[in-house]
Amino acid sequence: MDAVAARMRAFGALWPAGDGVAVFNRVYLTVTGELGRRAGEGGAGDRRDVTALAVRFAQRYVAAVDAVGAGGRAPACWRPLFAYRRHPGVRPLQFALAGINAHVGHDLALAVVDTCRALGCGPSRLEGGFERVGEVLVLLEERIREELVPGPDLLEVADPLTHLLGCWSLDRARDGAWLAARSLWQLGRAPGPWGPELAEEFTERLDRSVGLVGRMLLTPLGRQSSGSSTGAISS
């Protein structure tokens, strides 16, 4: 996790503060220490399992950034954030939610499968580690809302941002990631050639569907009023 955090700090030095990927990167960096701490709890076996999952989870975000930096393409779930990262009509909160949507909806499910393969176990053994990572994601969402949601006097019912906030749920995204991970694991172990083929198709469709949600979250809403949050997050 220390190595991943160092990469994220390096990313932050490359991008202007208003860049959409930088917004997500800053808020994610604020909880990476907690992710490392939770991974270090429990017995030796638990620590190994949780650390393996936490690192593979975070590395998928780093890999997406590296792919774009090298001139390639990120997974479909991340493409809306990279495509709209400098759009003046997209607010900081939207960038942060689009990032956590991609990271949880797609990356977390695949990280569970990657970890199971590396450790030679099934998803059931990682359920406790999944819950610990999920606790940190709750902290991430709380930080996003504390730092980036305008005050109650600014976030009016008529504001389209209010409706965007109500249409996405971290709990549902986590539940979906766990179900997707278990489904992918079973498909990959099915006898015959059709299992891996279905697993590959399932992964592709998961990637695209999460990307579609991300594109919706990044619908340009126009600039915030002068008194609202600017999205400046300190690490």
Side-chain angles (χ1 to χ4, degrees), residues 138-151:
V138 171
L139 295 178
L140 175 59
E141 186 187 39
E142 289 175 354
R143 188 66 188 268
I144 287 173
R145 291 179 181 271
E146 288 172 1
E147 298 289 342
L148 299 178
V149 174

Side-chain angles (χ1 to χ4, degrees), residues 52-72:
L53 175 58
V55 171
R56 282 171 172 78
F57 178 44
Q59 283 176 336
R60 283 196 166 268
Y61 160 64
V62 172
V65 176
D66 284 344
V68 174

Side-chain angles (χ1 to χ4, degrees), residues 53 56-57 60 75 77 103-117 130 177-178 180-182 184 199 202-204 206-207:
L53 175 58
R56 282 171 172 78
F57 178 44
R60 283 196 166 268
C77 60
H103 202 34
V104 176
H106 173 266
D107 293 354
L108 184 55
L110 270 60
V112 170
V113 176
D114 291 344
T115 306
C116 288
R117 290 172 179 162
F130 183 91
W178 183 244
R182 292 174 58 196
L184 281 170
F202 185 98
T203 301
E204 181 179 350
L206 175 68
D207 191 16

Side-chain angles (χ1 to χ4, degrees), residues 2 25 36:
D2 290 342
N25 190 78

Side-chain angles (χ1 to χ4, degrees), residues 12-125:
L14 297 175
W15 305 323
D19 181 285
V21 184
V23 171
F24 173 74
N25 190 78
R26 284 196 302 275
V27 74
Y28 191 18
L29 186 57
T30 64
V31 300
T32 52
E34 181 65 18
L35 190 56
R37 190 185 72 79
R38 298 289 175 97
E41 296 176 346
D46 289 340
R47 290 197 300 271
R48 178 193 59 199
D49 293 353
V50 179
T51 299
L53 175 58
V55 171
R56 282 171 172 78
F57 178 44
Q59 283 176 336
R60 283 196 166 268
Y61 160 64
V62 172
V65 176
D66 284 344
V68 174
R73 300 185 77 190
C77 60
W78 285 104
R79 288 175 203 161
L81 180 58
F82 284 97
Y84 283 79
R85 63 192 299 178
R86 296 182 180 88
H87 195 296
V90 179
R91 304 183 191 178
L93 174 61
Q94 295 175 260
F95 290 131
L97 288 181
I100 193 172
N101 169 70
H103 202 34
V104 176
H106 173 266
D107 293 354
L108 184 55
L110 270 60
V112 170
V113 176
D114 291 344
T115 306
C116 288
R117 290 172 179 162
L119 299 179
C121 68
S124 59
R125 174 171 144 183

